[in-house]
């Protein structure tokens, strides 16, 4: 293009044209269009439409670009520059064609990255041992210095953003793991995270790690047969796969959980082998969140008593661990705890339940002897509700934020009155130091005190006859 404009800068002309208030155009220096012109399912030709503007981070510049998409209504699929989406199940997939031989990588959002930049970081990561934080500072500083050398200040003013290490690292991981997956597997597509938040990214890691580890071991254990190494000296053997050379490495030290009792069971070690927990501990704590919750759950009862326990049981087990995004309860430490609990109907409502499961499996007196269950007052929640009703005038005018604090203190004072600290000042440090660790996020999360109905649920958790759950 520059040959046609000998006396002008073509890029500058285009920037002035697209930024002009009198010009109606979506034109930008870079247009990111769908990786395919036809639907992958029905092979019908697709119409391309403008989607949004994005910031494109290159090796030595940040410029404005346009993202275009295409939609196949018949198949319910939406196509982007480097991935496509199955609309009905709300999942994203990459294909070899969408990843390989592409100049830019875009996985959603307002940012895209040149393949040159991603490759450059990979090289810096391998040879200069740089992490994402140092790369972020180096890149942003370089861009500022590059801008000072530009003669056309309009281009300088076009984009004034900086690269963000969190966002860039997410894209780099997804890009490299997609390449790794296609490198090891002859598959037509590979699912990537729907969004770039930490939760989706960690689910993506956890869901695929076992397969990635298997692929890694399988390839590099057998590569001397399928892809033999070449020595730099023709007359010398590379020495690959001649022996197992083993050593430990603790030079890259990072904080890990202090729980040493975590073990795994393998075919060789059917009784288990202790490996410890390698998760990152919580701040100012020696244990990771999962180990903290597992430790706390050891002190909780594993019996849930509710007037409609039969329906609660069916609701939970019809959704627990399911993959349907609209009808699932995800596996978390809290839901895993509930999965190990027994569900029973309280004795007051038991006669009203006629289903076979209600008469047997959900009947607290059916599967246990009297010595096990007779000391449990299953109506304590109903009885406590009659007491809480007396606070209607005092607390009904409170805002939601104030009400939850008021009920929290009320339940604490009630617990203190009924429990062993009855004769002690409830905020005595001597007593507090002797109590169990504070429970946090162990049971299913419940929005506290936003309505009178929620109070019933809370009271059923906190109170039992003559004993309070710590």
């Amino acid at each position: 293009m520059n040959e046609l404009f000998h006396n002008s800068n073509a890029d500058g002309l285009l920037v002035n044209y697209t930024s002009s208030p009198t010009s109606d155009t979506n034109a930008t220096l870079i247009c990111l269009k769908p990786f395919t012109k036809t639907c992958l399912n029905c092979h019908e030709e697709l119409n391309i439409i403008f989607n949004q503007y994005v910031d494109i981070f290159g090796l030595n510049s940040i410029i404005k670009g346009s993202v275009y998409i295409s939609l196949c209504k018949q198949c319910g699929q939406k196509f982007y520059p480097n991935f496509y989406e199955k609309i009905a199940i709300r999942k994203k997939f990459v294909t070899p064609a969408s990843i390989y031989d592409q100049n830019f990588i875009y996985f959603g959002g307002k940012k895209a990255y040149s393949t040159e930049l991603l490759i450059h970081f990979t090289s810096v990561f391998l040879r200069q041992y740089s992490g994402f934080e140092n790369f972020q500072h180096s890149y942003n500083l370089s861009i500022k210095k590059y801008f000072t050398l530009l003669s056309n200040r309009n281009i300088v003013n076009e984009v004034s953003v900086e690269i963000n290490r969190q966002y860039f690292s997410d894209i780099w991981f997804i890009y490299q793991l997609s390449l790794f997956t296609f490198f090891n597997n002859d598959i037509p597509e590979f699912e990537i995270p729907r969004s770039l938040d930490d939760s989706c990214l960690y689910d993506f890691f956890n869901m695929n790690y076992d397969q990635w580890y298997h692929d890694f071991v399988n390839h590099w254990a057998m590569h001397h047969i399928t892809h033999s190494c070449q020595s730099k000296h023709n007359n010398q053997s590379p020495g690959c796969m001649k022996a197992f050379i083993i050593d430990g490495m603790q030079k890259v030290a990072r904080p890990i959980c202090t729980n040493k009792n975590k073990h795994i069971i393998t075919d060789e070690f059917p009784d288990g082998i202790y490996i410890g927990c390698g998760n990152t501990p919580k701040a100012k704590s020696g244990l990771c969140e999962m180990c903290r919750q597992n430790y706390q759950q050891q002190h909780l009862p594993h019996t849930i008593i509710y007037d409609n326990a039969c329906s609660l049981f069916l609701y939970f087990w019809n959704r627990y661990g399911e993959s349907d995004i609209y009808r699932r309860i995800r596996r978390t430490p809290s839901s895993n705890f509930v999965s190990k609990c027994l569900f029973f109907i309280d004795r007051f409502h038991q006669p009203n339940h006629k289903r076979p499961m209600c008469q047997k499996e959900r009947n607290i007196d059916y599967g246990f002897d009297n010595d096990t269950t007779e000391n449990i007052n299953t109506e304590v929640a109903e009885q406590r509700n009659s007491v809480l009703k007396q606070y209607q005038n005092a607390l009904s005018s409170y805002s939601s934020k104030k009400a939850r604090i008021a009920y929290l203190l009320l339940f604490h004072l009630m617990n203190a009155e009924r429990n062993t600290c009855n004769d002690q000042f409830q905020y005595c440090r001597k007593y507090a130091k002797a109590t169990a660790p504070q429970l946090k996020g162990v049971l299913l999360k419940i929005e506290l005190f936003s309505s009178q109905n929620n109070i019933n649920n809370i009271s059923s958790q906190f109170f039992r006859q003559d004993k309070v759950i710590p």
Side-chain angles (χ1 to χ4, degrees):
M1 182 179 290
N2 286 326
E3 287 83 3
L4 299 177
F5 300 91
H6 301 289
N7 298 323
S8 301
N9 182 281
D11 291 344
L13 291 175
L14 183 55
V15 168
N16 292 334
Y17 174 66
T18 57
S19 61
S20 172
T22 60
S23 301
D24 183 14
T25 177
N26 293 327
T28 55
L29 293 176
I30 298 178
C31 298
L32 305 181
K33 297 183 178 181
F35 66 92
T36 178
K37 296 180 180 180
T38 60
C39 175
L40 299 181
N41 187 40
C42 66
H43 305 292
E44 292 291 330
E45 188 171 349
L46 302 170
N47 293 324
I48 299 176
I49 58 175
F50 172 78
N51 179 240
Q52 65 175 343
Y53 293 112
V54 295
D55 297 327
I56 300 180
F57 294 80
L59 195 58
N60 53 18
S61 63
I62 307 174
I63 60 177
K64 187 178 181 181
S66 302
V67 171
Y68 291 79
I69 63 173
S70 53
L71 173 66
C72 181
K73 295 183 179 179
Q74 178 179 345
C75 300
Q77 295 181 353
K78 188 181 294 185
F79 297 89
Y80 292 82
N82 299 105
F83 66 94
Y84 79 97
E85 179 183 4
K86 295 181 180 180
I87 300 175
I89 59 177
R90 303 181 66 187
K91 291 184 177 181
K92 292 180 178 179
F93 298 87
V94 294
T95 69
S98 70
I99 292 294
Y100 289 110
D101 301 323
Q102 299 291 335
N103 293 326
F104 301 93
I105 296 298
Y106 172 75
F107 289 140
K110 295 288 188 178
K111 298 178 177 62
Y113 301 91
S114 71
T115 308
E116 290 180 343
L117 180 63
L118 294 170
I119 294 175
H120 174 67
F121 173 77
T122 304
S123 301
V124 171
F125 182 58
L126 286 173
R127 290 292 181 264
Q128 297 182 4
Y129 321 113
S130 174
F132 291 102
E133 183 175 6
N134 288 338
F135 182 79
Q136 168 189 274
H137 297 321
S138 175
Y139 179 85
N140 290 334
L141 179 60
S142 298
I143 291 298
K144 290 179 181 179
K145 292 184 177 297
Y146 292 154
F147 279 173
T148 60
L149 301 177
L150 294 175
S151 58
N152 189 341
R153 296 301 176 182
N154 290 330
I155 298 180
V156 177
N157 296 329
E158 270 300 297
V159 177
S160 59
V161 297
E162 294 184 339
I163 199 169
N164 178 273
R165 64 169 178 169
Q166 181 66 46
Y167 199 96
F168 177 74
S169 66
D170 292 347
I171 298 299
W172 184 85
F173 273 115
I174 296 173
Y175 174 67
Q176 288 294 335
L177 290 169
S178 298
L179 294 177
F180 176 83
T181 302
F182 290 132
F183 173 81
N184 287 287
N185 302 274
D186 185 14
I187 55 177
E189 63 185 22
F190 174 60
E191 184 181 351
I192 62 174
R194 171 164 177 79
S195 61
L196 296 177
D197 59 82
D198 287 343
S199 177
C200 288
L201 195 67
Y202 291 148
D203 287 344
F204 170 68
F205 291 161
N206 295 333
M207 180 177 64
N208 292 285
Y209 178 78
D210 289 341
Q211 182 62 45
W212 288 331
Y213 184 77
H214 174 271
D215 292 341
F216 175 87
V217 173
N218 186 63
H219 175 78
W220 293 112
M222 302 299 296
H223 80 283
H224 62 295
I225 297 176
T226 59
H227 302 82
S228 60
C229 295
Q230 300 295 325
S231 174
K232 294 182 179 180
H233 304 284
N234 295 331
N235 297 330
Q236 296 182 6
S237 170
C240 185
M241 298 302 293
K242 299 295 184 182
F244 289 105
I245 303 174
I246 304 172
D247 192 12
M249 198 283 290
Q250 296 182 347
K251 295 179 175 61
V252 184
R254 67 176 182 86
I256 63 172
C257 179
T258 57
N259 178 16
K260 305 300 181 184
N261 295 322
K262 186 175 181 180
H263 68 281
I264 59 174
I265 296 176
T266 67
D267 294 338
E268 296 78 16
F269 297 93
D271 298 324
I273 178 173
Y274 288 93
I275 61 173
C277 178
N279 292 335
T280 302
K282 297 288 290 184
K284 300 181 180 179
S285 171
L287 297 174
C288 67
E289 186 64 24
M290 181 174 296
C291 289
R292 283 169 55 88
Q293 292 187 1
N294 290 339
Y295 173 74
Q296 294 161 352
Q297 290 171 8
Q298 297 174 8
H299 303 279
L300 293 175
H302 285 73
T303 301
I304 296 175
I305 301 173
Y306 178 49
D307 58 13
N308 195 19
C310 50
S311 298
L312 180 62
F313 176 85
L314 294 174
Y315 181 91
F316 178 80
W317 283 105
N318 285 337
R319 289 161 175 79
Y320 175 64
E322 294 295 324
S323 58
D324 188 347
I325 193 171
Y326 298 106
R327 192 171 179 268
R328 66 172 178 174
I329 296 176
R330 292 176 57 188
R331 294 181 183 272
T332 65
S334 298
S335 62
N336 291 340
F337 171 81
V338 174
S339 70
K340 301 174 184 177
C341 291
L342 301 175
F343 291 73
F344 296 113
I345 302 168
D346 67 83
R347 292 189 179 95
F348 179 78
H349 293 93
Q350 179 68 54
N352 299 328
H353 291 257
K354 305 300 183 182
R355 287 183 293 185
M357 67 170 291
C358 300
Q359 297 295 321
K360 295 182 179 180
E361 291 90 345
R362 308 281 78 80
N363 187 342
I364 192 171
D365 294 321
Y366 178 81
F368 296 95
D369 57 72
N370 291 334
D371 293 338
T372 304
T373 60
E374 66 179 357
N375 63 339
I376 299 179
N377 179 7
T378 64
E379 290 82 37
V380 66
E382 297 282 351
Q383 297 166 358
R384 182 55 53 175
N385 288 343
S386 64
V387 176
L388 293 173
K389 187 178 180 181
Q390 307 304 315
Y391 293 91
Q392 181 176 356
N393 293 335
L395 302 179
S396 60
S397 61
Y398 283 9
S399 65
S400 59
K401 294 181 179 180
K402 189 175 182 179
R404 66 175 62 190
I405 299 299
Y407 281 116
L408 180 68
L409 290 174
L410 175 62
F411 287 153
H412 169 71
L413 294 173
M414 287 180 173
N415 284 346
E417 181 185 2
R418 297 168 64 90
N419 207 334
T420 56
C421 59
N422 184 32
D423 298 329
Q424 305 226 21
F425 181 62
Q426 46 264 38
Y427 299 112
C428 175
R429 292 306 303 161
K430 180 179 179 181
Y431 175 83
K433 290 180 180 179
T435 59
Q438 180 183 358
L439 297 176
K440 183 178 181 181
V442 176
L443 299 180
L444 288 177
K445 295 180 180 178
I446 299 176
E447 185 64 27
L448 304 183
F449 318 129
S450 60
S451 68
Q452 183 67 30
N453 292 333
N454 285 339
I455 300 173
N456 301 337
N457 296 333
I458 300 306
S459 62
S460 65
Q461 290 181 25
F462 279 71
F463 298 101
R464 293 194 320 190
Q465 184 179 22
D466 298 329
K467 187 175 182 180
V468 180
I469 301 172

